[in-house]
Structures are given as C-alpha cells and as structure tokens.
Amino acid sequence: MRRVNKDQKVRISLTLNGRKMSAETEPRMLLSDFLRHSLGATGTHVGCEHGVCGCCTVQIDGTAVRSCLTLAMQAEDRAVTTVESLAGPGGTLNKLQQAFRNHHALQCGFCTPGILMSFTDFLARNPKPTEEELRDVLGGHICRCTGYAGIMAALKEAAGLTNTNEPTGAKS
Amino acid sequence: MSKRLGTSVARKEDPALLSGHGRYADDLPVPAGTLHAHVIRSPHPHADIVSIDAAEALAKDGVWAVITGDDVRKISDPFLVALKAPIHQWSLAVERVRFVGEPVALVVAENRYLAEDAAELVQIEYTPLEAIIDPVAACKPSAPILHAEANTNEVSVRKFQYGDTKSAFEKADKVVKLTVDFHRLSFTPMECFVAVASYNPANDSYDCMANFQGPFSTHPVMARALRVPGPKMRLRIPPDSGGSFGIKLSVFPYVVLAALASKITGRPVKWVEDRAEHLLAASSGPNRVTEIEAAVTKDGKILGLRMDQLEDYGAFLRAPMPGPLYRMHGAVTGGYDVANIDVINRVVLTNKMPASLIRGFGGPQLYLALERLVQRIAIELGLDHLDVIRRNLVPPEKFPYHAAAGSLYDSGDYPRAVETAIGGGRLDHLKKRRDEARKAGRKYGIGFAVVVEPAMSNMGYLSTLLTPEARDKAGPKNGATSMVTVNLDPLGAVSVTADVTVQGQGHETVLAQIVAEQLGLTPHDIDVTLEMDTAKDQWSIAAGTYSCRFTPGTAVAAHMAAGQIAAKLKGIAAKQLNVLPDDVELVGGKIRSRSNPDNAVSFSRIAGTSHWSPVMLPDGMAPVISETGVWNPPELAPPSGDDRINTSFTYGFVFDMCGIEIDPVTYQVKVDRYVSMHDAGKILNPMIADGQICGAFAQGIAAALYEEFVTNEEGAFLTGTFADYLVPTVSEIPPVELLHMESPSPFTPLGAKGLAEGNCMSVPACIANAIADALGVKDVQLPATPRRIHALMAQHGGVR
Ligand code: FES
Ligand code: FES
C-alpha cells in the first residue's frame, strides 16, 4: 500500500467486477463506503460497521473479506468482486442465486449479498463441503429475517448435498 | 408449478435482491448539495444540559450547523402523545436528557466523516441527576421524576372488570399466583435508519424520504411537529427496506430532525444511523412486570383471572404508545374460555430508551405470564399441564367466540389443533426423551404454549386507554382501512400499488397472485410497485406493514380492486362478444363466453378499450383505467361503554410444544425438539408463510435464550455492540417442525389470517415452561442464559 498524508485526497483505482474504475477520496475511506458512494455499487450493504454481521462481504482477488473492516486503499490495483457480478447475461441467476430463490433463503435481502459473496468464495475452494462446514461459514453472517432454515437449504442445494429444488422455505 | 393462490409461487422480489439491484434507502440518489448529519447523544441517563458550545466545530471547513434543542423548540412542536399527559419530546433533547443515547445536538456538514469529526469538538456540559431504571421502584413516591409536569412516573393507570371476578375467586378451590418479568429487547433489522429531507421555503413544505414502516397514523404526528398541514409533509418510502419487525416506525423523530435541519441550513439533509446508535437508542420492546392470579377448581378449570400489568416505556411515551399494553387487550384471556377477568394496566416511565413497536407487540409479554400461570396451575393442583390446557380451551362450537374483554375470535378448532400437534407420536417421543434423560440424571423438560394470534389492529384499540367519558369527548376511533389500486395500461398490462411498506414479506408476490387469479392472468403478468409517496398514493392512518395487517387487510383490498376491474371488463367484453355479462369469464389471458369458449377476445384488447375507445364502452360505464379496492371490516367497532374492545380483526391459533435439556457443563438450554402448530386460516403462499413463521421462530428463540438490552442500576447501557447484544447465528437456531391446519376466517373473502408474529409470542412462553419443568422451579427469568440457569440450579440445589 502506498504511503499518503492523512489530510491529502487520494485517487484510488481498482478493478470492480472486471472493469477498471477510480475515484478521488480521503485515505481513511472504508472500502464499503467507497464501493457504495464513490463507485455507485450499492449492492454491497453495511449492517454493523464493526465486522460482526457479514452484510458487507465482497471479494478481493477472489478472497471474501469484510469491506467495512477494509480501507479502500487496501484494494488499490486489485480485483474487487461484488454481488453485482454474479448473474449471467440478461440477469440469469447463477446456481447459488437460483438455490436461494428456490428455498426462500431471503426475505428483505439485506444480508443476502454478503452471504452470496462468502459462499461464492467458499464453494469455489471447497466444492464438496459437509453440512457442518456450510453451517460454520454461515455462522459468520447475521440474517434477521429468515431464521436461517431457507439459507441452509439453499446452500445444501448449491453444494450438491441435496438434489431437490422444490421450494421449502421451512425445512432445513 | 401451479400459479394459483394458495401455492408456493417463487418470489417476484428475488431476482433484483439476489443481484445487487435492490433499492434501499441509502442506495437512492439525493439532490446535489445534500448535507450529511451526525447525532451527538447523551452519555447520561438523566441530566440537565447546562451548556452547549459549538464554536470550535462551526469553525471547521465544511461544517454548516450544529443544531440544539433550543433551535428545534423554536421552530417545531413536541410530538403528539396518545395519552393526555405532559410528556414533551422534541426531536432533540430540550434542557434535560432522560436516557443514554438521547439525541442532544445535530452536526450538519458536507459529508459524514466531517460531521463526525466536528462532533468531537462540540463541548456539552451536563449536571447529572439521579436516574431511575427499575419500573417498580419508579412508581414509588421517593423515585426521581422524569417529567416534572406529570408529577409521577406512573403516567396511566386503568382498571377493567369483565364478568364477576370477585365471585369467581370466592368460589375457587384454589388461587394460583405468579409474578412474571418480561425483559427488553429489539429485533434490530440489518439495515439501520435512514432519513433524507428537503425544505422548500417557497411554499413552506418538506419533501422527506425514510425507511419508515408505518403505521401512517404517525404521519400527522410528524406534520404537526413540523407545524405544517399533512400535504406539506411529503414522505416517500423506498421500494426496498432491510427488515423492520416494528422497529422502523421509530425512524420518525429523525425524519422530523432531518426536516428541521434542512430548514435551518437551506440544503437537503441526509442522516444514516450506524449500528452503535441503533442498539443504543433506536427502539426497544417494553419490559413488563405482570402479577397474575387464577381462581381454579380442583380439576383445573379457570373460573377467573386477575392481572396487574406494569409496562415500562422508558423515557418518553411516543405515538402510538402504549400500544403493546392494549393491542392484546380484547384477547387478554388467550386461548381459554374464561368469562371473568379483572385487569389493571399501568404505564411507567424510566430512564431508558423509549419503547415502541416490535414484532409480537404485547403478545410475548401477555403469553409469558398467562402460559406460565397455566403451567403453575397444573403443578399446584397435581395435574397434567396438557390436561389443564384442554380443560380451558375455547370449545370449537363457540365460534365466532366473544372473549370476555371484547375480542371476537373469528374461527378455529383449538382442541383439534392441540391433538394434531401432540399426535403422530410427537408427544410420546418427547416423553421418552425426557424419561431417558432423567433416568441418566440429566435435566430435561417439556413445555407447551397456547397462543391466539391477532392480526390487523383495530385503530380504535388504543382509545381503550381513555375512560369511556374521555372517549366520548374525543370522538369515536375504530376500524382499519386497507387500499389497493389496480391499473390497466394502454396495451392491457396490469399494475398494482398498495398501502403497505416493503420489509421482505413477499407482498409483491402475493399481491400479484391475488390479482392474477381474479383477472385470469399469471403472477408474472402483474407488475407491483410498493414504494410509497404520501403525496400521490392512497393511504389511511392504518397504512404500513405492522400487526400482520397485510393478509386480512391489504390482500382483501387487492382481491376487491381486481374483482371490480374484472366485473367491468366482463361488461365491456359482453358487448363485444355479443353475450350477457354473466356468461363472460376471464381465463388464461383471454376473456370469453363461458357457454361458447371459442367466442373469445384477448385480455389486453378489452383491457385497453378504455384508453383507446372509451366511446365504445357499454352505456353509462366510466372508463376503466384504474380501480381502488377499499376494505374496512365492520367487526372493528370502537370500545364499548363497558370497555370491551375487539382489538384485532382475525385471530389465528398457535400451539407449540418442545423438549429442552440443560447442558450439565455449560448450563446452556439446548432445544431437543420443537413443534409448532399453526391455524392461520387459508394460506395464500405456503412457502412465504413458512418463511415468516421460521423468522418469527428464530426471534422467539432469541428472546427466550439470547437477546436482552441491559441497563445497570446507575443507568449505563451495557449492550451497545453485536458483541454484547447476542443476535443468534445459524448455530443457535434449532430446527422447527411446522404443522398447519386451515380454519378459514368467515369475515374475509380470502379466509386468510395473519401468521408472522405468533412464534414471537409462543416461543418464550414454551421454552420458559420447559425450563420450569426441567428444573422444577417457579420463576424463570428470560433470556435464560447459562448464567441465569446456573444461578437457578445453584439456588435449587441442582448444581453438581
Ligand atoms: S457491515 Fe461489515 S461486518 Fe457488518
Ligand atoms: S433476509 Fe433480511 S436480514 Fe437476511
């Protein structure tokens, strides 16, 4: 990371979902605020600003991180991926997104982008997880609406632990 | 998959929310030049404000204003309160602070980072005063008074008598008593509060945007505070909101604050709450102390009840408080057929954050007391808990049932619901688990809870707070109006708007299902727009999303609006098809003759007629471009002269049963098995219904075992982060087995009732009963944390 004076404005460049972008900001700007307010990528949400809820999870160079605990400068010249990157052309939902829809794994949807970004990383590295491992990773996120049953069902489908895609919403 | 009403149609909301295209309050664009606000809050639970020195902050570049209570007092009025008591609250503290976290000053600057920096330069001097935290102590004459003009902290006491409770207690074989404490908590939506406001001096009006949830009876409260007529306080609600659970009603003081800040600075002002502020000061459910006693026969029949409910609303009584104390009033006897009951309702103020709406809204407090009492009756009479429940349930032949305090229970078969839930070997299994555990020396208990779940509040219920004489003077309040509009576009596309605020309940999907069914279309064909704008949408004071009003209210209005459209389209089509309107049906995107289905025309052709050729309409028919369904059920009458009130419109039923075990090492309460039986009438979308129930269940578990706002005796707030305030993660939520039966409501054309709050009411009571059974104790304080369980066991000799 380059050294800057704290009162000096800085221009930060990074790759967001495959496109080079940059904006001028203060050195202390959080990555979550930078994405949302400087680059207009509002799909990433902020639920606690102290690293507990997981709403703000994005990926930097393919690794899931909490953007509320990351300075924008730490992402300089790196590849940041957010929820906006997941759907295919024409908005087709990917397998994980579709599993969330099948199992009513979201209500208000505020926690959802963070959970999707965590598991996009996790499932890429662990294509054959156990239910316990899924539960462990999900434990890093707070969802206030669903009671988690639908989310677990969706994760199990996405991880290939179940082959049913009938909507459950209720059964975990 | 079938797309009909009553089937699990996939949610229309999901694709946008899954791909980052939600539009939540903080995502929406604001006008260029918008300033950002930061709230400075009181570190004291009770203190006089001696001075506020903002000179240094104001000297900083980019800082526009530091606004104080003195400023807002000059240009605004205190918020209206339902109770006629001198409790004045403005959007900033005036002269005195009364809880930790109370807004004292607002820093307005070019951006949020700057505003927070400047806040550190504002010097505020306080003279601390003695604080009062405990609600019982707050009623004593020696207690420090929060609002001097009120002269007491116990600002309302009302006594109610239904039937002949005195005789019931004289006749009783036994009297069983209990005192039950319900704690403070909140369901902390993941999105915090957001408010944006612009003042227009040209016509003295405000244009505001906030993630407000309703009820819209709060709109006049905001407009009055701003000293403008309602239409000059325009409020827009964004299309998406990150959860609410009652909590986002309490954004309203900040909407007023942002509006005043805009008036003062001449710029639009935006405020976004952070999580620390939210936990400290946003909203809490009220804590309640209930003294409850039952007059019973020796075989367990309840002849009469007496309840003294003392509810603690914190530092201020904000509209529409004290709702939780009265929302359940008509149904205060729960699922039991008890004709005689005396109730005392008392409202007390203490130096804690103001209490307000929260999912369950008075139900968790009531049912913890009532259901614990029923378990105690069984213990003290040496009877089986379930037998005492059975002996007292409202019998099915009594429906519609007039409860003693005025509720009119629309439908149900409570005994059948209970028998179904315990059947299928479920209760036998729990008993087997209990016997095995106990044989091995482990602590295992079985709990039950019976809940009547009200939905769609009578807007008149709160006036039960006033005496009949005072009510007569104030004029009658009652009913609850729901409104939905269905529109036809020139090419026959159908769109819908409704009087609800989005929070994740899937209203878009269910409204589309309802309208599609009436018009012979599919949910996919219907566009639903649920952002609200008080200047352009139809709304009544009942609008918003709270108290499960959607299913018995808004859903019916949608059914009506679509029905009105369908009837008129049939008239138009009849003329074109050359048949009688009675012979016309809307099926599969076509409008056709029932008797000769080949005689058909496309839906869009007929639907566009009023746009393109209104002259061709049948004689006397006005163009059919939009229809509004307005629904106000007559059952929601005002309180009667003898204080009987039908507090809600529909009444569902929930019966819960669980087995819990105490971990011998950690003293944690482990849920072994949990069964929840629901009768919510007709289910409109089973997937969404179960989702709502699972969400409420998790919040019920949170209330029973984890979440509590803790304020120590000196008034310091100890649960200000998610590290101290324990919101359950997936590991803390046990699976729940859901069972359903359907006793359709005879009072609504859809037969559907509310179902999203029942488990917030039942789970704390059911778990508490199971703990009481496991440990053989009388008093179970929630949340039943390991520390509390350990203390209980130490006290009763159960610690190894
Ligand atoms: S906002 Fe980053 S973890 Fe909660
Ligand atoms: S869906 Fe609302 S917080 Fe998870």
Side-chain angles (χ1 to χ4, degrees):
Chain A
M1 202 163 60
R2 73 183 136 129
R3 293 192 72 82
V4 291
N5 177 324
K6 78 175 169 54
D7 297 319
Q8 158 202 345
K9 288 250 174 193
V10 289
R11 176 157 283 277
I12 298 175
S13 309
L14 49 75
T15 307
L16 176 62
N17 301 328
R19 171 181 273 274
K20 266 211 139 356
M21 295 185 86
S22 75
E24 183 135 302
T25 185
E26 292 180 56
R28 61 178 169 168
M29 177 68 96
L30 297 174
L31 179 58
S32 50
D33 286 348
F34 185 71
L35 291 171
R36 291 179 49 76
H37 301 303
S38 302
L39 302 184
T42 54
T44 300
H45 297 154
V46 173
C48 72
E49 288 175 287
H50 58 270
V52 181
C53 74
C55 282
C56 65
T57 306
V58 301
Q59 290 175 15
I60 300 181
D61 295 335
T63 302
V65 299
R66 307 212 149 178
S67 62
C68 77
L69 297 181
T70 308
L71 291 172
M73 287 194 63
Q74 292 173 276
E76 174 138 60
D77 296 332
R78 299 171 74 184
V80 176
T81 327
T82 63
V83 67
E84 285 95 337
S85 70
L86 297 181
T92 325
L93 301 182
N94 73 14
K95 188 169 146 201
L96 182 61
Q97 290 170 307
Q98 187 59 47
F100 268 60
R101 191 174 192 211
N102 291 344
H103 295 278
H104 191 23
L106 64 155
Q107 289 180 21
C108 79
F110 202 77
C111 67
T112 315
I115 298 175
L116 293 173
M117 293 319 288
S118 272
F119 279 93
T120 301
D121 174 14
F122 178 76
L123 292 173
R125 284 184 287 122
N126 305 274
K128 293 223 171 326
T130 64
E131 182 171 343
E132 259 337 283
E133 289 169 328
L134 293 174
R135 201 177 288 277
D136 262 10
V137 177
L138 184 56
H141 292 266
I142 297 177
C143 173
R144 258 321 199 171
C145 298
T146 63
Y148 306 105
I151 303 179
M152 277 307 295
L155 293 173
K156 288 195 310 200
E157 183 192 312
L161 296 184
T162 46
N163 44 19
T164 158
N165 68 346
E166 110 203 23
T168 58
K171 294 149 210 143
S172 55
Chain B
M1 193 201 312
S2 158
K3 299 286 187 199
R4 286 196 358 265
L5 199 54
T7 62
S8 291
V9 172
R11 294 207 321 168
K12 287 172 82 76
E13 291 84 345
D14 289 352
L17 301 182
L18 285 164
S19 12
H21 297 299
R23 287 174 298 151
Y24 302 86
D26 190 33
D27 302 344
L28 300 184
V30 292
T34 296
L35 301 174
H36 295 263
H38 174 77
V39 179
I40 302 180
R41 296 171 182 277
S42 168
H44 299 286
H46 203 186
D48 282 327
I49 301 170
V50 180
S51 64
I52 301 178
D53 179 359
E56 215 183 319
L58 286 168
K60 263 190 84 106
D61 269 358
V63 176
W64 279 61
V66 176
I67 298 168
T68 67
D70 283 344
D71 300 322
V72 308
R73 178 160 52 174
K74 279 183 211 133
I75 56 172
S76 68
D77 288 325
F79 298 118
L80 292 172
V81 185
L83 186 69
K84 298 276 165 287
I87 302 163
H88 304 303
Q89 188 191 15
W90 282 265
S91 51
L92 288 175
V94 169
E95 291 170 3
R96 178 174 288 194
V97 291
R98 294 180 176 86
F99 67 98
V100 172
E102 183 170 358
V104 175
L106 188 77
V107 183
V108 189
E110 270 159 22
N111 66 50
R112 190 172 170 183
Y113 287 70
L114 270 182
E116 288 185 26
D117 289 348
E120 285 176 17
L121 304 174
V122 177
Q123 309 286 337
I124 305 176
E125 200 188 315
Y126 297 94
T127 307
L129 301 167
E130 190 191 343
I132 183 80
I133 300 304
D134 179 69
V136 176
C139 296
K140 301 224 169 92
S142 58
I145 301 282
L146 267 85
H147 297 272
E149 279 177 68
N151 226 344
T152 172
N153 295 322
E154 197 178 355
V155 292
S156 166
V157 180
R158 274 225 69 198
K159 297 184 180 167
F160 303 92
Q161 296 187 328
Y162 306 98
D164 185 355
T165 310
K166 192 161 164 279
S167 308
F169 275 78
E170 283 163 7
K171 276 193 287 209
D173 294 328
K174 192 171 176 61
V175 171
V176 179
K177 296 184 191 192
L178 194 67
T179 301
V180 175
D181 231 312
F182 198 92
H183 60 295
R184 286 195 147 218
L185 76 161
S186 164
F187 293 136
T188 64
M190 291 322 297
E191 179 201 37
C192 291
F193 294 167
V194 178
V196 185
S198 316
Y199 175 69
N200 183 349
N203 61 1
D204 190 28
S205 70
Y206 297 91
D207 190 345
C208 309
M209 187 278 288
N211 46 8
F212 176 71
Q213 67 138 47
F216 280 62
S217 52
T218 317
H219 185 271
V221 175
M222 292 184 265
R224 280 282 288 273
L226 291 170
R227 299 178 179 162
V228 293
K232 290 206 188 298
M233 198 261 159
R234 181 176 193 172
L235 179 62
R236 304 173 212 244
I237 321 277
D240 292 303
S241 172
S244 184
F245 325 114
I247 311 304
K248 282 179 179 158
L249 161 77
S250 298
V251 71
F252 84 83
Y254 297 101
V255 176
V256 169
L257 183 56
L260 295 174
S262 174
K263 184 172 190 171
I264 289 169
T265 57
R267 288 277 203 112
V269 172
K270 176 173 181 176
W271 173 71
V272 179
E273 180 188 53
D274 71 24
R275 181 58 62 188
E277 296 180 277
H278 187 87
L279 288 169
L280 186 67
S283 187
S284 165
N287 49 310
R288 184 186 296 182
V289 182
T290 305
E291 285 176 20
I292 186 167
E293 54 184 329
V296 291
T297 64
K298 56 182 180 310
D299 60 355
K301 175 77 192 146
I302 303 172
L303 302 175
L305 287 168
R306 283 191 185 126
M307 307 174 68
D308 181 330
Q309 310 188 96
L310 174 65
E311 190 138 274
D312 177 357
Y313 283 88
F316 295 95
L317 207 58
R318 303 206 278 225
M321 295 302 107
L325 194 51
Y326 283 89
R327 185 263 188 134
M328 298 299 303
H329 191 80
V332 72
T333 42
Y336 306 117
D337 185 20
V338 179
N340 309 301
I341 175 162
D342 288 356
V343 181
I344 303 176
N345 279 346
R346 299 191 282 147
V347 174
V348 65
L349 302 182
T350 60
N351 292 108
K352 300 199 284 290
M353 95 169 92
S356 192
L357 260 63
I358 181 168
R359 192 175 189 174
F361 204 46
Q365 290 90 335
L366 170 70
Y367 288 115
L368 184 66
L370 187 60
E371 294 306 292
R372 284 291 303 118
L373 181 72
V374 172
Q375 195 256 2
R376 286 305 302 170
I377 292 170
I379 299 287
E380 294 195 18
L381 294 175
L383 300 173
D384 181 67
H385 185 182
L386 206 49
D387 285 339
V388 177
I389 289 174
R390 288 186 176 116
R391 194 143 303 148
N392 290 289
L393 286 177
V394 175
E397 62 275 11
K398 283 203 178 179
F399 285 91
Y401 172 77
H402 291 269
S407 279
L408 178 61
Y409 294 178
D410 44 346
S411 61
D413 186 340
Y414 300 174
R416 186 157 71 86
V418 170
E419 298 313 318
T420 310
I422 65 173
R426 283 177 283 267
L427 181 57
D428 290 342
H429 173 255
L430 281 185
K431 285 183 171 164
K432 190 165 151 263
R433 298 279 297 166
R434 176 170 70 179
D435 295 346
E436 284 166 5
R438 288 188 176 173
K439 217 192 252 154
R442 303 196 310 267
K443 302 285 184 191
Y444 191 107
I446 297 176
F448 304 101
V450 169
V451 156
V452 169
E453 177 176 5
M456 188 153 114
S457 292
N458 183 343
M459 298 316 281
Y461 81 80
L462 199 49
S463 55
T464 319
L465 168 75
L466 307 174
T467 61
E469 301 73 53
R471 286 200 298 265
D472 282 348
K473 251 203 224 142
K477 288 203 174 71
N478 55 76
T481 302
S482 303
M483 283 190 271
V484 169
T485 300
V486 176
N487 306 295
L488 300 175
D489 103 325
L491 299 182
V494 179
S495 66
V496 179
T497 62
D499 64 354
V500 289
T501 53
V502 172
Q503 303 152 17
Q505 289 92 338
H507 294 160
E508 184 181 338
T509 304
V510 179
L511 288 170
Q513 284 179 270
I514 293 168
V515 172
E517 174 137 306
Q518 293 278 306
L519 300 183
L521 301 171
T522 71
H524 182 76
D525 299 323
I526 316 291
D527 273 283
V528 182
T529 302
L530 295 179
E531 55 193 286
M532 281 250 314
D533 178 343
T534 57
K536 304 191 63 140
D537 287 310
Q538 284 129 334
W539 57 276
S540 76
I541 58 161
T545 299
Y546 61 95
S547 293
C548 285
R549 67 178 284 272
F550 175 78
T551 311
T554 303
V556 177
H559 176 80
M560 291 167 65
Q564 288 159 218
I565 293 262
K568 292 190 176 172
L569 293 183
K570 282 180 187 172
I572 301 170
K575 190 172 165 193
Q576 296 193 18
L577 298 172
N578 219 358
V579 295
L580 291 171
D582 273 355
D583 185 39
V584 177
E585 61 180 4
L586 284 67
V587 180
K590 292 214 164 0
I591 303 185
R592 66 186 189 193
S593 157
R594 226 184 273 272
S595 51
N596 174 17
D598 288 342
N599 184 14
V601 54
S602 74
F603 175 90
S604 50
R605 177 71 178 265
I606 299 295
T609 306
S610 295
H611 282 281
W612 301 109
S613 60
V615 174
M616 298 300 288
L617 296 175
D619 289 346
M621 185 187 279
V624 189
I625 292 186
S626 106
E627 285 284 333
T628 298
V630 183
W631 166 240
N632 179 54
E635 286 80 10
L636 295 181
S640 65
D642 57 355
D643 285 325
R644 290 166 52 87
I645 172 72
N646 187 20
T647 29
S648 302
F649 176 46
T650 63
Y651 297 88
F653 185 73
V654 181
F655 175 72
D656 280 7
M657 167 172 83
C658 74
I660 63 101
E661 188 174 332
I662 312 286
D663 186 300
V665 177
T666 63
Y667 297 97
Q668 255 183 330
V669 175
K670 296 254 164 77
V671 177
D672 184 40
R673 185 172 186 186
Y674 203 109
V675 177
S676 187
M677 170 82 205
H678 285 252
D679 183 350
K682 188 93 190 72
I683 301 287
L684 302 177
N685 181 318
M687 177 189 78
I688 290 177
D690 282 355
Q692 288 299 307
I693 292 171
C694 284
F697 172 75
Q699 292 179 339
I701 291 286
L705 299 177
Y706 299 99
E707 294 186 23
E708 179 175 25
F709 280 146
V710 183
T711 306
N712 73 11
E713 263 169 55
E714 288 78 50
F717 186 70
L718 306 180
T719 41
T721 70
F722 274 154
D724 313 296
Y725 185 81
L726 301 178
V727 178
T729 67
V730 64
S731 314
E732 282 82 43
I733 303 299
V736 55
E737 298 162 57
L738 301 185
L739 302 167
H740 291 281
M741 59 185 259
E742 294 192 356
S743 308
S745 173
F747 298 157
T748 114
L750 295 172
K753 310 183 185 188
L755 50 69
E757 293 184 275
N759 289 93
C760 290
M761 305 179 185
S762 60
V763 176
C766 189
I767 299 261
N769 278 342
I771 294 169
D773 183 49
L775 299 181
V777 296
K778 182 174 178 186
D779 299 315
V780 180
Q781 175 66 47
L782 301 182
T785 56
R787 188 177 55 78
R788 284 201 171 112
I789 294 291
H790 179 268
L792 261 184
M793 289 174 69
Q795 195 187 332
H796 291 82
V799 178
R800 284 195 225 154

